[in-house]
Amino acid sequence: RIYRVDTGTRPVRQIMITGGRGGRGPPQISVNGGPPAPPINGGNGSGFSVLPPLEPRPLPNQTSDDSIRASSHAALSPSSSGEQVDLKTFECSICYEYMESPVGCGSTTCDARFCRDCLLRVLREGLANRPPGSSEPEEQARCPHCRSFFGRGTVRPDLAMQRRIGECTETVTCPFAGCGVSMPIGQLKEHEAKCGMMRVRCRYADWGCKWVGKRGDLSAHEAD
């Protein structure tokens, strides 16, 4: 079967699905005649491939590569009350980026704070990699800091830290080279999520497209 996919601008990709139910082995998916994507098992245990999400994926470790990051992070900053604040306390213990909505694992002995998405990713990966017959608690994984078990029901927002982040008067610069926009620390995550200077892979990377570039250039790439 051949499908045309509308990415939001115009149909620019031709997807071919071969094999599957009527043939031997799992279905094979390819885009514009490129190599087949690796099979991905569906959540229903059927073994049939599912389409990967059609979203561009950021390249890892961009902020550590950009020298602008170092100049944008001061060690201490005044809060609205005039007290000196160590900005490192606002960094996620997993991704080491400034948090927008800090959470804890729920253990009373754990003082680490994380981005909610980062901690839930640890939970998903822990459950996905758990060996069959494991005696560990169902739907729980170990906290990457204190190693206590946690689950979705134990994750708790740290409202006090979130308030401190909102009150922090420090402005930081977008870490992606070429951007240069400054904003309050609490708005950095939101800006990074849509910054046109963020380097991303094509949304069809799993289907053979090798394009890598700035998010702002993605539309032009898809129109080619």
Side-chain angles (χ1 to χ4, degrees):
R1 298 180 181 179
I2 300 177
Y3 301 89
R4 299 280 289 179
V5 176
D6 189 344
T7 62
T9 53
R10 64 181 182 86
V12 295
R13 292 295 183 268
Q14 180 172 280
I15 301 175
M16 177 176 290
I17 303 178
T18 58
R21 295 182 184 276
R24 296 180 179 179
Q28 299 291 314
I29 304 173
S30 62
V31 175
N32 287 358
I40 305 173
N41 288 334
N44 60 4
S46 65
F48 287 98
S49 296
V50 296
L51 301 182
L54 297 180
E55 293 293 337
R57 290 182 295 185
L59 297 183
N61 303 321
Q62 292 184 60
T63 55
S64 61
D65 293 338
D66 295 336
S67 58
I68 193 171
R69 186 69 172 183
S71 64
S72 68
H73 285 196
L76 296 174
S77 169
S79 67
S80 60
S81 63
E83 298 177 352
Q84 292 292 305
V85 178
D86 183 357
L87 295 184
K88 291 189 70 66
T89 61
F90 299 151
E91 293 181 1
C92 169
S93 296
I94 295 175
C95 71
Y96 300 104
E97 299 290 338
Y98 289 137
M99 296 175 287
E100 187 176 32
S101 301
V103 300
C105 70
S107 171
T108 57
T109 61
C110 184
D111 59 0
R113 293 297 178 262
F114 316 92
C115 303
R116 180 177 180 83
D117 288 346
C118 288
L119 191 57
L120 292 182
R121 184 177 68 250
V122 169
L123 176 61
R124 291 193 302 270
E125 291 175 353
L127 295 177
N129 296 327
R130 178 171 295 177
S134 172
S135 60
E136 295 181 350
E138 292 186 5
E139 302 302 322
Q140 293 191 2
R142 289 192 180 274
C143 170
H145 181 77
C146 70
R147 307 306 295 166
S148 299
F149 284 104
F150 77 97
R152 282 185 172 271
T154 70
V155 174
R156 294 289 182 269
D158 189 332
L159 299 181
M161 179 172 286
Q162 187 168 352
R163 183 168 57 251
R164 290 174 62 199
I165 293 174
E167 293 174 349
C168 182
T169 58
E170 174 73 8
T171 58
V172 293
T173 305
C174 175
F176 303 124
C179 179
V181 174
S182 296
M183 70 219 75
I185 188 174
Q187 298 177 12
L188 182 61
K189 280 280 188 179
E190 180 182 358
H191 170 81
E192 289 181 346
K194 58 185 180 182
C195 179
M197 295 298 176
M198 175 186 281
R199 295 186 292 277
V200 298
R201 292 188 176 93
C202 176
R203 69 183 77 227
Y204 299 100
D206 287 343
W207 296 339
C209 183
K210 304 299 183 183
W211 183 87
V212 173
K214 298 175 182 177
R215 183 192 295 272
D217 297 333
L218 184 61
S219 296
H221 161 68
E222 291 181 342
D224 288 341

